Amino acid sequence: MRVNFTVNGRPREADDVWEGESLLYVLRERLGLPGSKNACEQGECGSCTVRLDGVPVCACLVAAGQAEGREVVTVEGLADYARQRAQGGCAAGACGTSLQDGRHRPAEGTGTGSQAGEGTELSPVQQAFIDAGAVQCGFCTPGLLVASDELLERNPNPTDADIREALSGNLCRCTGYEKIMDAVRLAAARQSEGV
Amino acid sequence: MQAEGAPTKITQGSRTKGGIGESTLRPDGTLKVTGEFAYSSDMWHEDMLWGQILRSTVAHAEIVSIDTGEALATPGVYAVLTYDDLPTDVRNYGLEIQDTPVLAHGKVRHHGEPVALVAADHPETARRAAAKIKVEYRELPVITDEKSAVAPDAVLVHENRDDHHIGHVPHPNIVHRQPIVRGNVDEARRRADVIVEGEYTFGMQDQAFLGPESGLAVPEEDGGVHLYIATQWLHSDLRQIAPVLGLPEKKVRMTLSGVGGAFGGREDLSMQIHACLLALRTGKPVKIVYNRFESFFGHVHRHPAKLHYEHGATKDGKLTHMKCRIVLDGGAYASASPAVVGNASSLSAGPYVVDDVDIEAIALYTNNPPCGAMRGFGAVQACFAYEAQMDKLAKKLGMDPVEFRRLNAMEQGTLMPTGQPVDSPAPVAELLRRVKAMPLPPERQWESSEGADVRQLPGGLSNTTHGEGVVRGVGYAVGIKNVGFSEGFDDYSTAKVRMEVVGGEPVATVHTAMAEVGQGGVTVHAQIARTELGVTRVTIHPADTQVGSAGSTSASRQTYVTGGAVKNACELVREKVLEIGRRKFGSYHPAWATAELLLEGGKVVTDGGEILGDLADVLEDEAVEVEEEWRHRPTEAFDLRTGQGNGHVQYSFAAHRAVVEVDTELGLVKVIELACAQDVGKALNPLSVIGQIQGGTTQGLGVAVMEEIIVDPKTAKVRNPSFTDYLIPTILDTPTIPVDVLELADEHAPYGLRGVGEAPTLSSTPAVLAAIRNATGLALDRTPVRPEHLTGTA
């Protein structure tokens, strides 16, 4: 079958999709967007978290056909999505609290600039994950970024308990979660300071 | 047509010096947060096929017949391979003992053993075709524990063993046995005022790295194959893969793809040979990606263990002796079992002074899932048991458990049970003091003016208690782990470093075969190059087999050994650069000949700080390149009878304090805080060091209260191969982890550093167990602890 839907603000079309294919498979294998990850493919790990009409879902549990005519945001589109939201636009679904301008920053930490990322514009949550040391192997990172961004969209000043609850569907095996907590706190603080 | 997702060079600059000791950020960080970093499962190639493995549905059986006809006739299927299709006489592989069949030959020895391979144009077609392969099994009795393994009529898991351990093991179903005897336990026991014994059980833990086993094999025009793969050691894989394919090693090119965690689970081969076989058979690129269910069958696990300990102490609290027997279940194939036995035995006394010991460790061959390397590697199981013993002794003596440990703590100069002196700082007492001195989290944090916040309580949002039946406990533990490969292994690493001027600026390129699995080795390599070569920009070349071996990303060794190799290669490059400078400019300034020269800030400077020239002017269009192997101090094998020998390179120490709250009515545990103090010698990257400690601590927490692969004792079949049934800690299960990092240099190691990754995984588990015992008063001699163990309903 053919599936038409919007991915990261662009209309996309996938052909020859077998009815049993998941949204995750179509994103990764047919649309060249492997950023959403395949750690369990059974809805337990959250590494494939994407926004479907604004709602965070496990893309592995969504049949590709269910995405027909809908809007999907993946980690690849997170920076644009955050920028449009900050500018008052709305890439997909409900925008929630409008975020401050200037949340968008180039990919440079306090001490290091990566040439590989020079010129790459990142969302505040993406930058905070790098700065706080929340990325090790990075396989859980795309799902955590989408989930964290969604949390900060609806709750700009989350308590620690709020963060833990919002991210409880995302497994990480490397970090022990402490630096992930730091990253979300950092993104929230920068956001409230308007930097 | 290129493979999409092949790794590229990453160049990282720095606004600060960006050298060692700074928390520089990961060079691959931006790629990882944008989704652009290509993991092995992200590889893609035009016209590629998907590989699928058919695995045994029973644990131990003869294969009567395999019928592949229907599978082969399925539209979209390109190949179906069984044992009979293997191209050469080399049909087994293995890390140390080549006992693992690439595809089952007449027999399967564990549940989930690979039996046949399918390549098809869609992964679902491949799965369905594999399901059409008819395998007839004739089941054999299963060996599942020591009793069944060494019974007089026991079936041999491997007939006709000819490995180098068979000569010294008491039974062919024992892979390896290592005794260690020092002093005289019988005499020492007479001095003991108290003696405690314990029988402990450690469950089977899974590495549960998130990136599944996966890779892409691309056939090459010369008849060879290029494998893009997630592994811990490219050259070890290569050595095992090439003979099975019947290819010389130079025709098997290996490139490291993005690795989604490892923790020991990628030391053994998984789908590497299978993908190459299918690619060479079909002439097309073949991608294999396990799902989580298959991943539980596709890699070895942490050895489950039974440990029997006896300790004695005098009434003033000094250890007199220790006897222990550690039985590790190695499962159906040897994997790393012999080395795990070496570790478990040699580290079984823990970080304590005890001169009279009688130790035995063995690993069994059984029909349970194969077990091998996992973070902590044999030392984890021992630490769980000896730390329980320390608490028992302290209690019997009426002493504080931390004071009792400090009284017996080893220090620099202490002899290990192997007779090896610990010849660098061993701040065991200090780590305990520090972890105890950290402020305790406040009691009853869940209370608020609006009632109990159930999120802070055992059971969480399940709303099982508002504080009724909840008791708090505090527990301590400390452990010792070796760093680097031991027992005489030639544990070298290779680094190739190049320096040249690009765009008017000196740039260093570091090329190693080190597997970056998330630990941050690439970050550290760039830091070392900046420190040694005085450059800002460093390019990290993708890891591949076009450079010499970097050894394994295992045993907490990469920063030490490959870091040491990078440092050494940088020093050699620096010498060559200075030689060029002396040749060009030596006649202009006497300091070129007389002073100690350094490279700093892109310039050649004297140790007095005088600038002699720009690196750009020294090098001009010349490039300086060095590839060199580097070795740490050699080690020795352990004597097979006495266990004596200088077997280890370096030791690493961590201590934990756990604070738990237990709902005693439902048996639910909430870990409130898990504080750690660790000596790291020198923190090359403090942010990464803390990340390693917190991550290791959390894996220890997992096996304390939730993680266990359940194997049916009657059938040896795995009951819970999924993240629905095998639970790893979520962010809700994981407490705050305050970390106190001590830096006491080891003069034998580069920059004085000490391997970091594993030690925190040791003491975390027994600290949590001690805290639960402290809260409940229960003995708890097994891990993980489940609710039924706390409510008396087990």
Side-chain angles (χ1 to χ4, degrees), chain B residues 2-3 6-7 43 45 215-229 234 245 247 250-257 272 275-276 279-280 284-286 543-546:
Chain B
Q2 285 287 309
M43 296 296 301
H45 201 292
L216 175 73
V218 183
E220 299 208 300
E221 282 177 6
D222 65 355
V225 64
H226 193 153
L227 181 64
Y228 297 87
I229 189 69
L234 287 167
L245 302 179
L247 292 171
K250 67 176 189 305
K251 283 198 172 183
V252 181
R253 283 192 66 188
M254 307 260 306
T255 300
L256 188 75
S257 271
Q272 283 91 328
C276 291
L280 291 170
K284 285 172 173 287
V286 173
D544 56 30
T545 49
Q546 307 303 302

Side-chain angles (χ1 to χ4, degrees), chain B residues 230-561:
Chain B
T231 180
Q232 290 178 235
W233 187 358
L234 287 167
H235 287 78
S236 167
D237 285 10
L238 176 62
R239 180 178 51 77
Q240 297 172 78
I241 295 168
V244 175
L245 302 179
L247 292 171
E249 289 189 1
K250 67 176 189 305
K251 283 198 172 183
V252 181
R253 283 192 66 188
M254 307 260 306
T255 300
L256 188 75
S257 271
V259 185
F263 317 116
R266 298 188 208 266
E267 278 193 27
D268 294 79
L269 296 181
S270 57
M271 44 55 68
Q272 283 91 328
I273 296 175
H274 298 151
C276 291
L277 286 168
L278 289 170
L280 291 170
R281 170 60 75 100
T282 61
K284 285 172 173 287
V286 173
K287 172 168 164 172
I288 295 181
V289 182
Y290 291 178
N291 61 20
R292 184 53 52 180
F293 178 89
E294 185 169 18
S295 179
F296 273 97
F297 294 99
H299 61 257
V300 301
H301 312 291
R302 187 191 298 293
H303 290 74
K306 299 268 187 204
L307 309 97
H308 185 270
Y309 267 78
E310 175 190 313
H311 278 90
T314 60
K315 58 180 180 301
D316 56 353
K318 280 290 203 182
L319 288 172
T320 54
H321 70 283
M322 186 277 275
K323 275 184 77 165
C324 74
R325 185 161 187 277
I326 301 174
V327 180
L328 301 151
D329 183 352
Y333 296 106
S335 179
S337 280
V340 172
V341 166
N343 261 21
S345 56
S346 60
L347 302 169
S348 62
Y352 300 110
V353 178
V354 51
D355 292 327
D356 298 277
V357 296
D358 185 352
I359 297 161
E360 179 189 21
I362 63 170
L364 304 170
Y365 271 131
T366 67
N367 297 115
N368 291 326
C371 288
M374 183 175 171
R375 194 175 196 167
F377 203 83
V380 162
Q381 296 92 330
C383 185
F384 167 69
Y386 62 67
E387 286 301 88
Q389 288 283 103
M390 292 303 117
D391 284 342
K392 277 188 188 174
L393 277 168
K395 192 173 180 186
K396 202 158 183 177
L397 289 162
M399 294 179 72
D400 175 81
V402 172
E403 283 317 302
F404 176 73
R405 284 175 171 85
R406 292 181 66 186
L407 202 57
N408 291 286
M410 69 163 48
E411 48 196 20
Q412 186 163 353
T414 297
L415 296 186
M416 295 293 290
T418 57
Q420 180 172 25
V422 177
D423 63 357
S424 71
V428 177
E430 174 63 9
L431 292 172
L432 285 162
R433 187 193 69 74
R434 282 173 177 244
V435 82
K436 191 176 182 185
M438 290 191 202
L440 278 163
E443 303 252 359
R444 302 172 77 87
Q445 286 181 97
W446 37 269
E447 273 181 336
S448 74
S449 51
E450 292 125 50
D453 178 356
V454 294
R455 295 179 297 186
Q456 316 265 5
L457 279 159
L461 287 171
S462 304
N463 199 22
T464 48
T465 176
H466 288 199
E468 316 84 67
V470 173
V471 291
R472 175 173 278 209
V474 179
Y476 294 86
V478 61
I480 176 171
K481 176 69 185 55
N482 61 319
V483 172
F485 278 27
S486 302
E487 300 184 60
F489 191 85
D490 184 15
D491 187 30
Y492 70 95
S493 279
T494 316
K496 185 195 275 189
V497 174
R498 178 183 175 92
M499 186 138 102
E500 65 202 314
V501 177
V502 179
E505 193 185 347
V507 177
T509 299
V510 179
H511 185 185
T512 75
M514 177 199 67
E516 168 61 52
V517 303
Q519 82 278 22
V522 289
T523 321
V524 164
H525 289 180
Q527 292 178 266
I528 293 172
R530 288 195 197 100
T531 291
E532 298 302 329
L533 298 175
V535 296
T536 301
R537 300 183 83 78
V538 180
T539 299
I540 302 295
H541 192 285
D544 56 30
T545 49
Q546 307 303 302
V547 63
S549 173
S552 186
T553 302
S554 304
S556 309
R557 67 178 282 288
Q558 279 297 17
T559 303
Y560 189 135
V561 192

Side-chain angles (χ1 to χ4, degrees), chain B residues 618-636:
Chain B
V618 172
L619 283 168
E620 293 178 298
D621 52 6
E622 217 169 322
V624 173
E625 184 174 283
V626 169
E627 178 176 341
E628 193 75 15
E629 290 176 1
W630 186 82
R631 285 169 169 77
H632 55 64
R633 295 186 288 170
T635 58
E636 304 167 353

Side-chain angles (χ1 to χ4, degrees), chain A residues 18 21 25 28-30 34-35 37-42 44-45 47 75-76 107-118 120 122 126 129-133 135-142 145 159 161-165 167-168 170-181 185, chain B residues 10-16 24-27 29-30 32-35 39 41-42 44 48 50 122-124 128 205-208 210-212 259-261 263 287 289 291-292 374 455 461 517-518 537 687 690-692 694-695 698-699 707 722-724 728-732 734-737:
Chain A
W18 171 62
E21 283 177 19
Y25 183 88
R28 289 175 53 78
E29 304 294 340
R30 296 196 183 276
K37 288 291 170 270
N38 55 321
C40 80
E41 298 179 83
Q42 57 184 171
E44 294 287 358
C45 74
S47 70
V75 70
E76 288 97 338
E108 283 179 322
T110 48
T112 308
S114 159
Q115 189 181 357
E118 270 170 23
T120 306
L122 300 178
Q126 288 172 315
F129 266 62
I130 296 177
D131 294 346
V135 179
Q136 287 189 30
C137 92
F139 210 80
C140 67
T141 303
L145 288 168
T159 64
D162 294 337
I163 299 171
R164 290 188 192 279
E165 193 177 334
L167 303 184
S168 62
N170 292 79
L171 297 176
C172 169
R173 192 55 159 168
C174 295
T175 65
Y177 302 105
E178 281 285 80
K179 301 296 180 197
I180 292 169
M181 294 293 296
R185 292 178 193 125
Chain B
I10 300 178
T11 302
Q12 188 188 39
S14 176
R15 289 183 193 163
T16 61
T24 63
L25 302 177
R26 301 185 66 94
T30 300
K32 285 182 173 177
V33 298
T34 53
Y39 296 86
S41 53
D42 301 336
W44 193 88
M48 77 182 185
W50 290 77
H122 190 285
E124 186 61 22
R128 290 182 179 194
Q205 189 179 17
D206 189 68
Q207 296 84 353
L210 287 195
V259 185
F263 317 116
K287 172 168 164 172
V289 182
N291 61 20
R292 184 53 52 180
M374 183 175 171
R455 295 179 297 186
L461 287 171
V517 303
R537 300 183 83 78
L687 188 68
I690 291 168
Q692 283 294 309
Q694 291 171 334
T698 303
Q699 292 183 0
E707 292 184 35
S722 75
F723 280 162
T724 309
I728 66 173
T730 69
I731 199 167
L732 282 172
T734 308
T736 53
I737 306 170

